[in-house]
Amino acid sequence: MSRCHFQTFLRALLLTFALAFASLQGAHAGVPNNRAEPAYAQEQTMLQAEQDARVPEPGLANANSGRVHIDRHYLGQYGQKEGTVIVQRGGNLWRVWRNGPIATLSGTVLVIVLLAIFAFYKIVGPASTEQPDTGKKLRRFTGWERFIHWATAVTFIVLAITGLVILFGKDLLLPLLGHDVFAFVAYIFKYLHNFVGPLFILCSVAMFFTFLHRNFFRRIDWQWIKQGGGLVSHKHVPAGFFNAGEKSWFWFGVTILGLIMSISGLVLDFITFGQTRYVLQVANILHLLGATAYIAAAMGHIYIGTWGTPGAYAAMRDGEVDEAWAKAHHALWYEEAKAGVKPGTFEDRPPPSHLPPRDPPGGSAPGRRPPGAQPDPAR
């Protein structure tokens, strides 16, 4: 590693410790007297009233227990929409967790993933095509596919940036900007986050149905998984239109994490449907954890689609790729395109040139099937 690279790595490491320290500071400063049991004088009144009550409060199994709260102690009259609740002890617990362990976990995970991507790029390097460009282009994505991809990407980036400012702004930006400027920034980012959220959901749904038919796992994907996609060995593993890594991102990131973020975000965004404080607190925790995983996975996706695989970005930018790139990174799709067959045709039954060696009868040395031979139905 050169001196310049070492200095860059050292700066990134110092940033990691700074973020971790800021998150830990938030854990102790998030709620006044958060180590006291109970944390507020009003809570002492609630606990004392329960102990002195002649009729004990119903248990959690009882429909009248108020189990919609993290705990059952609150000051005020409990109504259908909790409009008269003055203090709810679950809010204290939520703030301690949100400003402490969850913020620390989120910041640590994101910085570690960023450093891991940087280290992987410096140590392993990008996946090369090896063969020079032929000048012949293949159409990879249509105009609609590129539009919906970038619409989803832009709304995701806006939500990621505004969400990180909402979570870490008080620790990282407030000391730099001052209260007045930070208040203005936080106000704008909060409403931007709330309004862009539903748009991101619509884009995600459209992208799901746009790319669904190309993301079902096939037999050939197992070979890609066993070889780790050739990311470390730089071996080009035959793949269809999308490889197993891209399909995993589609199902884990776009679909599963997208559902978690969408449902929890809608619960938090539209609070006029009778959600209780308990539901909002749980939704917020799920939203934070889901956002951490989504952003971390998206950073890997962005790396693979840009510096990690030269030429991949041009496919989503222009919709076309060079034949040399297609043959190196998506060999089965390349052969399907050259053969004029539907994408996915060779993913379950690849052409003979991509079938693994096979022992002939009698146990003689392994050899490949002749190019014109019919595939074995048992394979």
Side-chain angles (χ1 to χ4, degrees):
M1 182 181 294
S2 66
R3 183 176 180 180
C4 180
H5 292 160
F6 176 76
Q7 291 176 347
T8 303
F9 177 78
L10 185 60
R11 293 192 190 99
L13 187 62
L14 291 175
L15 178 61
T16 304
F17 288 123
L19 284 175
F21 178 76
S23 300
L24 288 173
Q25 287 295 102
H28 298 291
V31 180
N33 303 319
N34 64 355
R35 293 184 176 180
E37 291 292 344
Y40 295 103
Q42 292 93 333
E43 297 179 25
Q44 297 179 4
T45 302
M46 299 175 202
L47 293 173
Q48 187 64 43
E50 179 180 291
Q51 293 175 0
D52 294 342
R54 294 182 180 180
V55 180
E57 186 175 347
L60 289 178
N62 192 302
N64 298 320
S65 69
R67 61 174 178 267
V68 291
H69 298 291
I70 288 179
D71 60 54
R72 294 169 289 146
H73 307 298
Y74 56 88
L75 183 64
Q77 296 298 316
Y78 176 73
Q80 182 179 0
K81 296 185 178 180
E82 299 185 300
T84 58
V85 175
I86 301 173
V87 177
Q88 181 231 351
R89 295 190 66 220
N92 179 41
L93 180 62
W94 163 76
R95 283 185 292 179
V96 170
W97 275 87
R98 187 260 190 194
N99 296 336
I102 294 178
T104 301
L105 175 66
S106 178
T108 303
V109 167
L110 295 181
V111 172
I112 288 177
V113 169
L114 191 61
L115 290 177
I117 292 174
F118 174 79
F120 185 88
Y121 179 77
K122 291 300 181 182
I123 296 173
V124 178
S128 61
T129 303
E130 296 178 356
Q131 298 296 327
D133 288 352
T134 64
K136 300 177 181 179
K137 300 293 185 178
L138 288 177
R139 171 65 62 178
R140 182 158 175 81
F141 296 111
T142 65
W144 165 254
E145 291 170 339
R146 287 182 286 134
F147 169 79
I148 198 61
H149 171 273
W150 288 117
T152 307
V154 170
T155 53
F156 173 83
I157 291 173
V158 171
L159 291 174
I161 294 175
T162 54
L164 290 174
V165 170
I166 293 172
L167 182 59
F168 297 110
K170 288 185 179 180
D171 293 320
L172 300 180
L173 297 182
L174 182 58
L176 298 175
L177 303 179
H179 287 81
D180 293 339
V181 176
F182 175 72
F184 175 77
V185 171
Y187 180 85
I188 297 298
F189 277 28
K190 172 182 178 293
Y191 282 97
L192 187 62
H193 193 88
N194 290 346
F195 280 102
V196 173
L199 181 60
F200 168 75
I201 295 174
L202 294 177
C203 292
S204 297
V205 172
M207 189 166 71
F208 174 82
F209 287 105
T210 298
F211 293 102
L212 175 62
H213 66 288
R214 291 175 178 171
N215 278 281
F216 292 106
F217 282 94
R218 306 292 183 89
R219 293 177 60 183
I220 195 65
D221 293 322
W222 177 238
Q223 300 297 326
W224 193 96
I225 294 173
K226 289 195 297 184
Q227 300 183 52
L231 294 176
V232 177
S233 64
H234 291 291
K235 178 182 178 181
H236 295 301
V237 184
F241 192 94
F242 288 133
N243 59 44
E246 293 167 320
K247 292 178 180 179
S248 298
W249 160 249
F250 176 84
W251 289 109
F252 175 73
V254 175
T255 304
I256 296 178
L257 291 178
L259 280 173
I260 294 174
M261 299 304 297
S262 299
I263 295 173
S264 60
L266 289 175
V267 170
L268 295 169
D269 218 354
F270 301 96
I271 59 173
T272 57
F273 291 94
Q275 298 98 312
T276 62
R277 287 164 172 79
Y278 173 75
V279 172
L280 294 172
Q281 289 154 6
V282 172
N284 182 256
I285 292 175
L286 290 176
H287 202 70
L288 293 175
L289 295 176
T292 301
Y294 209 156
I295 296 174
M299 288 193 294
H301 173 71
I302 293 171
Y303 166 74
I304 293 296
T306 53
W307 299 287
T309 310
Y313 171 74
M316 191 56 73
R317 182 192 63 198
D318 304 324
E320 296 180 334
V321 295
D322 191 86
E323 286 190 0
W325 185 92
K327 187 175 182 179
H329 299 290
H330 297 270
L332 295 181
W333 170 66
Y334 167 78
E335 295 187 9
E336 290 167 347
K338 300 301 288 185
V341 298
K342 182 180 178 181
T345 302
F346 295 157
E347 292 188 33
D348 283 325
R349 293 183 178 275
S353 60
H354 290 295
L355 287 174
R358 173 178 188 191
D359 292 338
S364 59
R368 290 190 179 272
R369 208 178 324 172
Q374 294 297 322
D376 186 350
R379 292 178 68 80

